[in-house]
Amino acid sequence: MKKYMILAAFFMFTIMAVSGCQRSYYGKGKPFGMDTAKLPGYSNDNITALSTDNYERFMHASYIIVTDKFGEVHKIKISANIKRHEWDFSNLDSSGKLKNYIAEDGSQKKVGIDVSEHQGVIDWKKASGQIDFAFVRLGYRGYTSGKMVVDAYYSANMEGAVENKVPVGVYFYSQAATYEEGVEEAQFVLSRLGDYHLSYPIVLDREDPMAEDARTNNLSAQQHTQAALGFLETIKASGHQAMMYTNRMYYALYLDLEQIYQYPIWFAQYADEPDWPYEFSIWQHTESGEISGINGPVDLNIEMLSPQ
């Protein structure tokens, strides 16, 4: 009996010893940790920073991250149905008076302006030597009244540009709230084009006026899209080239891009380089440009792709 008691005690001691070794080796009951302080070239801080960097890369490769007018950040999944651009924006050149994009073969993109009555009287002879194209505002719809008006300098700007052989397009500032109002705006433009030859498209300019009493404030993204399509489809049906213009926030939050991207895109973002995954025809990169013949600031644009 004593022999069996000794054997039992021996086995109990062995089991406890092994259990103790397991507890010590695996850290049972403790969070897993790895001290990298002694590893060459790495530290815990390095790994944390690398993980954060990879996360940011993933997010920007997969989502359009945009802040709305109320300061709320939104993540919009990038569509696989819209062509992404392949430009290398390290090729942007800001060394001259006008920013440009230098392609791999050394060629430069066309540069242009867009103007309205806000620029006043323009000396188109002076301006023409610095630009390759211009967009002239034909008119606008009031964001509260809804009344459509021809731009006060539309005719003067068109005549000045044409006389000085500047290729032109026209644009209309829209505040349409329905598809039918979009059609109405397009018909307003078509009826006032006159005999001017357009080398560039007729452009729909839709923006959030950032006003509490704007007539478009309570529209859904689908309603904004339908109002835009009313204009674009009517212009296209007339035989003219239609184009969409707006800024990064409006494109991301206010429109169904898979429908809008049936048309050439004019993209506005005032930045050192554009932050947008998809192709676009024209990039408006500043509202503070300087052009001889124009008193005060003017919008400057680069034609990244032909909109035709």
Side-chain angles (χ1 to χ4, degrees), residues 98-152:
L98 302 179
K99 184 192 289 285
N100 209 322
Y101 183 95
I102 313 299
E104 299 299 332
D105 61 2
S107 62
Q108 298 186 25
K109 303 294 186 182
K110 294 180 180 180
V111 296
I113 57 176
D114 55 277
V115 298
S116 70
E117 60 191 46
H118 298 298
Q119 276 68 48
V121 176
I122 295 174
D123 185 335
W124 282 96
K125 186 175 182 179
K126 286 184 178 180
S128 63
Q130 304 159 78
I131 58 175
D132 301 306
F133 64 90
F135 282 96
V136 173
R137 187 172 76 167
L138 183 146
Y140 59 92
R141 186 192 286 272
Y143 66 81
T144 54
S145 68
K147 182 180 179 181
M148 291 186 289
V149 180
V150 175
D151 187 285

Side-chain angles (χ1 to χ4, degrees), residues 40-269:
Y42 292 92
S43 70
N44 286 327
D45 288 343
N46 293 146
I47 293 172
T48 301
L50 181 63
S51 298
T52 300
D53 183 59
N54 284 339
Y55 174 77
E56 290 298 322
R57 288 176 184 273
F58 167 77
M59 291 301 294
H60 282 89
S62 305
Y63 295 90
I64 300 169
I65 302 173
V66 61
T67 303
D68 66 23
K69 61 183 177 181
F70 304 109
E72 183 178 350
V73 178
H74 301 261
K75 296 187 291 292
I76 313 299
K77 189 75 173 70
I78 295 174
S79 172
N81 299 322
I82 303 174
K83 186 177 180 181
R84 294 198 184 199
H85 73 74
E86 298 179 353
W87 297 306
D88 178 0
F89 288 116
S90 66
N91 291 335
L92 285 170
D93 180 11
S94 301
S95 61
K97 185 175 181 181
L98 302 179
K99 184 192 289 285
N100 209 322
Y101 183 95
I102 313 299
E104 299 299 332
D105 61 2
S107 62
Q108 298 186 25
K109 303 294 186 182
K110 294 180 180 180
V111 296
I113 57 176
D114 55 277
V115 298
S116 70
E117 60 191 46
H118 298 298
Q119 276 68 48
V121 176
I122 295 174
D123 185 335
W124 282 96
K125 186 175 182 179
K126 286 184 178 180
S128 63
Q130 304 159 78
I131 58 175
D132 301 306
F133 64 90
F135 282 96
V136 173
R137 187 172 76 167
L138 183 146
Y140 59 92
R141 186 192 286 272
Y143 66 81
T144 54
S145 68
K147 182 180 179 181
M148 291 186 289
V149 180
V150 175
D151 187 285
Y153 282 74
Y154 167 64
S155 295
N157 281 331
M158 291 297 287
E159 290 168 8
V162 171
E163 286 175 6
N164 289 279
K165 297 180 170 51
V166 178
V168 291
V170 301
Y171 72 96
F172 183 87
Y173 177 79
S174 167
Q175 280 290 287
T178 64
Y179 183 94
E180 290 73 24
E181 286 190 349
V183 172
E184 182 184 33
E185 290 177 349
Q187 292 172 340
F188 180 91
V189 170
L190 292 169
S191 67
R192 290 161 176 79
L193 278 180
D195 296 326
Y196 300 116
H197 171 70
L198 298 182
S199 302
Y200 279 81
I202 297 174
V203 181
L204 173 65
D205 172 3
R206 280 188 73 84
E207 304 170 46
D208 187 333
M210 302 294 192
E212 292 183 359
D213 55 349
R215 66 200 307 271
T216 54
N217 274 349
N218 297 318
L219 299 184
S220 67
Q222 190 56 32
Q223 287 172 316
H224 278 284
T225 301
Q226 285 301 307
L229 290 174
F231 184 99
L232 295 167
E233 291 176 356
T234 303
I235 294 299
K236 182 179 179 180
S238 74
H240 290 87
Q241 175 69 63
M243 174 183 262
M244 179 76 203
Y245 164 93
T246 194
N247 55 54
R248 186 177 183 275
M249 181 187 76
Y250 195 101
Y251 273 128
L253 299 180
Y254 290 69
L255 295 170
D256 179 346
L257 290 180
E258 292 192 7
Q259 295 187 70
I260 296 300
Y261 254 84
Q262 301 173 61
Y263 299 89
I265 297 298
W266 182 358
F267 178 70
Q269 184 181 18

